Amino acid sequence: MGFTIHGGFMRLRHLAMALSNLPPHPQRDASLEQYATEGDFAARWIAEIVQRGDLEEETRVVDLGAGNGILGIGCLLAGAESVLLVEQDAKCVHDYDGVEWLIGDVGEWSGTEVDLIIMNPPWGVQIAMADRPFLEGAFCSTARVIYLLHSAKATHIESLAKSLDWKGEVVLSGLFRLPAQYDHHRSHEGMTEVAVWRFIRN
Ligand code: SAH
């Protein structure tokens, strides 16, 4: 299985391996809700983005709450023109050719010079509304398409998007492993259901 980018064929397995080999997210700061995406799931997600025609040679990508940058770096490997990784926790940051980091709060990002936003932000489970600056930052940016991973249980996303003139659909779902420090709200052996949303302007 794979997908075509710039006329070349990329195997999903190779992308998944490259992403799995990134320095792991330390996932130490529970207050920042650090649930890292695994390589296999990230690769499936990126393939979905490419197949939908949302990621091309001239696409400028911003990854909000990037962690180790797995989602943004996935977009880079799939051919994005530029990738900016926005992350508050400096411990996640590592050198990676071809990406830029903005180390700071998501609110420090300008919201401009972006075509595609990809994000797995805090879900607002540990700290109520922790996801709001991410959702609002994305919906008020100049992006033309937004991909968002969130808890499948979240019920506020669609209405918030609609109020800011975006429409969305769930394009991928799956199970996510929660790190040990979050296991007080685990549903099934530390796994929780997630949904990936794709938003475009109304
Ligand atoms: N996108 C990565 C990490 C997801 S966890 C992945 O999918 O693996 C969410 C990330 O958001 C964490 O790395 C956390 O440190 C970061 N974060 C939380 N609050 C933030 C804020 N206000 N501004 C910037 N980053 C934040």
Side-chain angles (χ1 to χ4, degrees), residues 25 32-37 63-71 86-89 92 104-107 119-122 130 133-134 176:
H25 194 309
L32 290 174
E33 287 196 70
Q34 302 176 315
Y35 320 130
T37 309
D63 178 352
L64 299 178
N68 70 350
I70 187 163
L71 303 174
V86 180
E87 170 58 50
Q88 190 164 57
D89 183 355
C92 300
D105 185 82
V106 63
M119 60 175 167
N120 166 21
F134 287 83
F176 237 57

Side-chain angles (χ1 to χ4, degrees), residues 124-202:
V125 174
Q126 305 287 321
I127 296 181
M129 319 260 280
D131 54 344
R132 290 306 162 102
F134 287 83
L135 297 171
E136 285 165 8
F139 292 133
C140 298
S141 76
T142 60
R144 74 183 148 68
V145 59
I146 298 170
Y147 281 87
L148 163 74
L149 183 146
H150 210 294
S151 164
K153 295 187 198 112
T155 52
H156 58 294
I157 297 170
E158 207 166 8
S159 54
L160 180 69
K162 206 171 166 194
S163 72
L164 294 168
D165 269 342
W166 291 76
K167 59 179 174 214
E169 57 173 329
V170 172
V171 294
L172 193 66
S173 23
L175 278 177
F176 237 57
R177 205 184 309 276
L178 290 181
Q181 69 266 39
Y182 300 110
D183 68 359
H184 55 274
H185 61 73
R186 73 173 157 197
S187 45
H188 172 64
E189 296 186 316
M191 304 295 276
T192 193
E193 273 179 60
V194 299
V196 171
W197 290 82
R198 174 182 184 266
F199 293 97
I200 52 172
R201 287 177 193 278
N202 231 338

Side-chain angles (χ1 to χ4, degrees), residues 33-103:
E33 287 196 70
Q34 302 176 315
Y35 320 130
T37 309
E38 291 179 19
D40 286 359
F41 192 84
R44 275 173 52 211
W45 181 356
I46 307 293
E48 183 71 31
I49 295 176
V50 172
Q51 270 151 12
R52 286 173 179 270
D54 290 331
L55 180 53
E56 294 177 320
E57 257 169 285
E58 62 279 5
T59 307
R60 297 162 302 171
V61 174
V62 176
D63 178 352
L64 299 178
N68 70 350
I70 187 163
L71 303 174
I73 291 171
C75 292
L76 182 80
L77 295 174
E81 178 179 285
S82 67
V83 175
L84 175 67
L85 306 172
V86 180
E87 170 58 50
Q88 190 164 57
D89 183 355
K91 289 189 206 77
C92 300
V93 174
H94 56 96
D95 281 332
Y96 195 94
D97 268 359
V99 299
E100 272 186 64
W101 292 87
L102 191 170
I103 305 168

